[in-house]
């Protein structure tokens, strides 16, 4: 049976996550900043709701990407150098999460990014934990991604593209930013072919949790990222 959490209930042990349900661990609780930060530090994330209650997951294996394993293809490098796109950080978090919510997902009906989810992550952004990468073309927001940085971990949440390669451009800028901050691991949560093409791979949950404990040990420093990427060369 999947535990139903009241607002102040702790999460159940990770080992109780249901493998046959994609790693579903619990239902309920709330989406307050303390609850979300506690979840991410434990290797748990919310994904969707049922009757307004958040669903909490901890899958095994876990999709991750080590920044040094990012695959910057020659075609993407040409796109980055071509100048058709520009990128910024933390300048339109609400626009990015709205773009992710609106993006069609193959095999999915609707979106898991509900208004309640959007409000919760915008609050984390205001507190300096959640960050966005915005990609523009001709003055229009055409792609981006968002996630959380805790210590030397980045937890990727979602990305979108309204033009070809816009999300890859966002990811390339994310990698550059994370490398400058010595962030050692990106949590990609679930496997997708898109993430695999960029260098993501699956590792056992036990290994992920062990790395997580070390990388989030010092999470005192947080706040907005420098906005501009002007002068970056590819």
């Amino acid at each position: 049976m999947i535990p139903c959490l009241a607002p102040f209930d702790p999460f159940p042990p990770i080992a109780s996550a249901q493998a046959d349900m994609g790693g579903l661990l619990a239902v309920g609780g709330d989406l307050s900043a303390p609850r979300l930060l506690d979840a991410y530090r434990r290797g748990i994330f919310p994904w969707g709701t049922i009757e307004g209650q958040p669903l909490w997951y901890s899958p095994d294996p876990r999709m991750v990407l080590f920044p040094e394993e990012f695959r910057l293809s020659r075609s993407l490098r040409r796109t980055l150098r071509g100048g058709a796109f520009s990128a910024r950080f933390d300048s339109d978090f609400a626009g990015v999460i709205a773009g992710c919510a609106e993006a069609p997902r193959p095999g999915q009906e609707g979106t898991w990014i509900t208004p309640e989810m959007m409000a919760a992550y915008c609050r984390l952004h205001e507190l300096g934990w959640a960050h966005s990468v915005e990609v523009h073309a001709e003055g229009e927001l055409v792609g981006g991604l968002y996630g959380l940085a805790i210590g030397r971990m980045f937890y990727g949440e979602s990305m979108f593209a309204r033009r070809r390669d816009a999300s890859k451009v966002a990811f390339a800028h994310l990698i550059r930013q994370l490398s400058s901050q010595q962030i050692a691991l990106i949590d990609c949560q679930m496997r997708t072919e898109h993430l695999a093409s960029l260098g993501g791979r699956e590792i056992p949950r036990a290994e992920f949790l062990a790395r997580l404990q070390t990388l989030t040990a010092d999470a005192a420093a947080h706040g907005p990222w420098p906005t501009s990427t002007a002068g970056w060369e590819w």
Side-chain angles (χ1 to χ4, degrees), residues 60-71:
D60 187 12
R62 191 75 163 228
M63 188 73 168
V64 301
L65 191 147
F66 296 87
E68 66 272 17
E69 295 180 3
F70 172 60
R71 295 173 187 160

Side-chain angles (χ1 to χ4, degrees), residues 135-191:
V135 175
H136 292 84
E138 301 171 353
E140 178 187 355
L141 180 65
V142 296
L145 60 83
Y146 74 97
L148 278 72
I150 302 177
R152 297 180 61 218
M153 277 289 308
F154 185 82
Y155 302 83
E157 277 299 309
S158 188
M159 62 175 66
F160 78 101
R162 295 174 180 148
R163 293 196 186 182
R164 182 177 178 180
D165 290 337
S167 63
K168 291 183 179 180
V169 168
F171 205 88
H173 282 85
L174 174 70
I175 294 292
R176 177 76 67 88
Q177 174 66 17
L178 297 185
S179 297
S180 73
Q181 295 184 310
Q182 298 185 320
I183 287 180
L185 187 61
I186 302 171
D187 176 24
C188 301
Q189 301 177 348
M190 305 284 196
R191 178 182 171 83

Side-chain angles (χ1 to χ4, degrees), residues 51-83:
E51 298 182 352
Q53 299 295 308
L55 302 171
W56 301 94
Y57 285 82
S58 184
D60 187 12
R62 191 75 163 228
M63 188 73 168
V64 301
L65 191 147
F66 296 87
E68 66 272 17
E69 295 180 3
F70 172 60
R71 295 173 187 160
L72 179 57
S73 66
R74 283 181 290 182
S75 62
L76 179 55
R77 191 186 297 273
R78 285 195 299 269
T79 298
L80 290 162
R81 289 175 172 174

